[in-house]
Amino acid sequence: MRTLVLNAGYEPLGIVSFKRAIVLVMNQKASVVERDDDDPVCGPSDMYDRPAVILLSRYVRVPRERSVPVTRRGVLRRDGNQCAYCGRNATTIDHVQPRSRGGADSWENLVAACLKCNNMKSDRTPQEMGWDLRFVPRPPQGVSWAVRGSERADPSWEPYLSMAA
């Protein structure tokens, strides 16, 4: 079980394990905003609701320049698991400017690609192949990218994730 953590200003910060959320609530560093429908948790001297969303008691400063790390899974998710060249189901990622020619592992240079297009393109650029990209690759934006784990969001988190978008 996972719990969404909100900053004191209701800004989504992250997702923690159920156990970590209970510890924060027990130590009065957070309060439960949304409860899970499961049975309550029995502590040594008190009973606690199972938290789905918690609110921190004190505001935590977050650096504004939170960059999203480039991952294979992230590129596939950003591109909707569709090949950037033909639109079919993508299972691999491709460097638009090949690494052998100085292409970087960056959001602007990586796209999702089907195995056929990736193999055909090899270490050439799309221009050399006479291909066009279906979109311009950009870094992902939005709260669903800033909050790790929110791609598998619990339905009770929706109001809090959409407030920050």
Side-chain angles (χ1 to χ4, degrees), residues 69-86:
V70 180
T71 62
R72 176 184 181 280
R73 192 164 123 196
V75 171
L76 289 169
R77 182 176 153 217
R78 178 199 64 189
D79 297 350
N81 289 313
Q82 290 187 330
C83 180
Y85 304 113
C86 70

Side-chain angles (χ1 to χ4, degrees), residues 63-127:
R64 284 287 143 217
E65 296 300 317
R66 267 165 98 166
S67 63
V68 180
V70 180
T71 62
R72 176 184 181 280
R73 192 164 123 196
V75 171
L76 289 169
R77 182 176 153 217
R78 178 199 64 189
D79 297 350
N81 289 313
Q82 290 187 330
C83 180
Y85 304 113
C86 70
R88 287 188 294 215
N89 186 43
T91 55
T92 65
I93 60 171
D94 180 56
H95 290 80
V96 177
Q97 176 72 29
R99 277 196 300 189
S100 62
R101 299 187 187 185
D105 289 335
S106 67
W107 286 110
E108 295 83 2
N109 192 47
L110 290 170
V111 293
C114 67
L115 190 58
K116 182 179 178 184
C117 288
N118 203 348
N119 285 336
M120 281 178 38
K121 183 177 164 287
S122 188
D123 67 342
R124 293 176 288 226
T125 66
Q127 293 80 14

